[in-house]
Amino acid sequence: MSEVRFPVEMVSGVPVVVTPEEIDITNAAGLRAALLEAAGRGPGRLVVDMSRTVFCDTAGIHALVEAHKRAGAGGGEVRLVITGPAVLRIFAITGLDSVIPYYASLEDALTATSRSADGT
């Protein structure tokens, strides 16, 4: 089985990791690697664009929580873009919706990240 790669793009100076339709045990290691790569591109601030994601299991959740903790320890932050109702429900059930900030669009997440970087 080949390792799934997650694109990391720089958008307005912020690393953005784009996730596929499904995040599960088969590709969570690829997500973890992309999050580490993205965190290395900036001062601990990154956005995970999950707008195409319709399913995320515990392996994916674990990778996101790990990235959130690592970024927070370094004074950074992880912001998510979540639009899928099933993914929103998983985040609500687990309580992560009150731990990791999430937004309805990439533009909103980038704006919030820029404001945070400016100290506003």
Side-chain angles (χ1 to χ4, degrees):
M1 172 186 268
S2 64
E3 181 180 330
V4 175
R5 304 231 357 118
F6 291 75
V8 179
E9 305 167 358
M10 293 300 287
V11 180
S12 301
V14 177
V16 176
V17 176
V18 180
T19 61
E21 286 185 19
E22 296 187 0
I23 305 170
D24 57 28
I25 191 72
T26 65
N27 61 9
L31 174 60
R32 187 174 288 107
L35 294 171
L36 287 172
E37 177 186 338
R41 291 188 181 187
R45 292 183 171 84
L46 64 107
V47 172
V48 182
D49 184 354
M50 300 177 71
S51 60
R52 297 183 328 174
T53 304
V54 296
F55 176 80
C56 183
D57 77 358
T58 57
I61 296 288
H62 183 73
L64 293 168
V65 168
E66 184 180 326
H68 169 72
K69 287 180 179 179
R70 179 169 282 160
E77 61 193 0
V78 173
R79 301 200 184 257
L80 308 175
V81 178
I82 304 174
T83 58
V87 178
L88 286 168
R89 185 164 187 264
I90 291 297
F91 274 77
I93 288 170
T94 60
L96 288 175
D97 61 340
S98 64
V99 176
I100 304 175
Y102 70 94
Y103 300 85
S105 72
L106 179 59
E107 295 77 23
D108 290 346
L110 290 170
T111 299
T113 301
S114 295
R115 279 196 311 260
S116 175
D118 294 339
T120 57

